[in-house]
Amino acid sequence: KSDPFIEQRFALATLFYSLNEPSKLLSSGWLSGKQECAWTPMVECDVRTGSTVSKLNISGFDLQGQLPKELSSLRYVTHLDLSKNALNGGVTRATTGWSELQELRLANNRFETAPELMDVMSSVTYFDVSANNITGEIPVFLSFASNLAYLDISSNSFSSDIPAYMGGNLPLLESLYMHSNDLTGKMPQSICNLRNVSLKNLSVDCGVAEEVGIS
């Protein structure tokens, strides 16, 4: 049976080498002689165990390349912030099995594919993939993420209709940003109705028969 802590260290090392050994990470203490939970603020660990990685915050480190599949062994991560880098590809393979993920922040990168996180659709509360190069349809799981409070898919190339049933399954949604895409059709009434419940920030007008017009 494999040692989970060796797996954890290996995953973090693989990330470093897969991204061409970024000097900013190295100078900030990544792969230092210290236990990985001491690589703060980039890595945080579960307060109960003090040894299991629960948060990765590597925003703004000039990271380039694709995330390795080995990251999937960090299955107890609840928060992942990779924003403001130059990462490409996707994150689905790297986050497979992350059943406790709550916040995913991927804004301002070069990702081409949207994450499909069916395993965490009931736990994710914050989802931001704005300002990337993502094409295709809005990820299916987002229409069933019942605890989602913040959703930002703006400034991409999503090109589908917004699912008509989407708003009815997102009762806690407070902020929704979909502008600067190639979405078609009308804003579903189910989303517009959320303005009377929880929705405080909506970047697209809910006028009568209003075309989405997010381009």
Side-chain angles (χ1 to χ4, degrees), residues 35-112:
Q35 200 260 356
E36 51 267 29
C37 295
W39 302 352
T40 55
M42 301 171 293
V43 178
E44 293 184 40
C45 290
D46 191 312
V47 294
R48 295 166 297 180
T49 65
S51 57
T52 303
V53 172
S54 61
K55 296 182 181 181
L56 289 175
N57 176 17
I58 40 181
S59 171
F61 276 89
D62 299 329
L63 306 179
Q64 300 181 34
Q66 298 189 11
L67 301 178
K69 67 181 185 303
E70 286 80 5
L71 276 185
S72 62
S73 65
L74 303 178
R75 60 186 65 90
Y76 300 109
V77 169
T78 59
H79 296 67
L80 176 63
D81 189 351
L82 298 171
S83 58
K84 301 177 182 176
N85 286 296
L87 298 167
N88 58 43
V91 303
T92 301
R93 186 176 65 156
T95 57
T96 297
W98 286 20
S99 59
E100 298 185 22
L101 186 63
Q102 298 170 20
E103 295 191 9
L104 184 64
R105 300 170 186 254
L106 305 177
N108 294 284
N109 276 283
R110 299 173 184 170
F111 290 116
E112 295 107 17

Side-chain angles (χ1 to χ4, degrees), residues 16-213:
F16 177 78
Y17 291 112
S18 295
L19 302 180
N20 300 314
E21 305 178 32
S23 58
K24 277 192 175 182
L25 273 187
L26 195 63
S27 62
S28 298
W30 200 273
L31 291 187
S32 67
K34 298 179 180 178
Q35 200 260 356
E36 51 267 29
C37 295
W39 302 352
T40 55
M42 301 171 293
V43 178
E44 293 184 40
C45 290
D46 191 312
V47 294
R48 295 166 297 180
T49 65
S51 57
T52 303
V53 172
S54 61
K55 296 182 181 181
L56 289 175
N57 176 17
I58 40 181
S59 171
F61 276 89
D62 299 329
L63 306 179
Q64 300 181 34
Q66 298 189 11
L67 301 178
K69 67 181 185 303
E70 286 80 5
L71 276 185
S72 62
S73 65
L74 303 178
R75 60 186 65 90
Y76 300 109
V77 169
T78 59
H79 296 67
L80 176 63
D81 189 351
L82 298 171
S83 58
K84 301 177 182 176
N85 286 296
L87 298 167
N88 58 43
V91 303
T92 301
R93 186 176 65 156
T95 57
T96 297
W98 286 20
S99 59
E100 298 185 22
L101 186 63
Q102 298 170 20
E103 295 191 9
L104 184 64
R105 300 170 186 254
L106 305 177
N108 294 284
N109 276 283
R110 299 173 184 170
F111 290 116
E112 295 107 17
T113 59
E116 274 295 355
L117 306 173
M118 298 300 291
D119 293 341
V120 297
M121 63 183 184
S122 61
S123 65
V124 67
T125 61
Y126 191 107
F127 185 91
D128 185 357
V129 296
S130 60
N132 278 282
N133 302 320
I134 302 173
T135 60
E137 300 183 352
I138 296 173
V140 172
F141 90 93
L142 286 175
S143 295
F144 301 96
S146 56
N147 286 304
L148 195 63
Y150 185 99
L151 173 57
D152 191 346
I153 63 170
S154 65
S155 300
N156 281 287
S157 296
F158 287 103
S159 56
S160 61
D161 285 356
I162 302 171
Y165 51 80
M166 189 173 185
N169 297 320
L170 305 177
L172 304 180
L173 192 64
E174 297 179 359
S175 299
L176 175 60
Y177 302 98
M178 292 182 161
H179 59 277
S180 301
N181 276 290
D182 299 319
L183 295 169
T184 56
K186 300 175 181 178
M187 178 61 71
Q189 192 59 43
S190 62
I191 289 180
C192 295
N193 291 343
L194 290 177
R195 294 180 302 169
N196 301 320
V197 183
S198 58
L199 194 59
K200 301 179 179 67
N201 303 299
L202 177 63
S203 69
V204 181
D205 195 6
C206 272
V208 177
E210 183 80 20
E211 290 295 317
V212 171

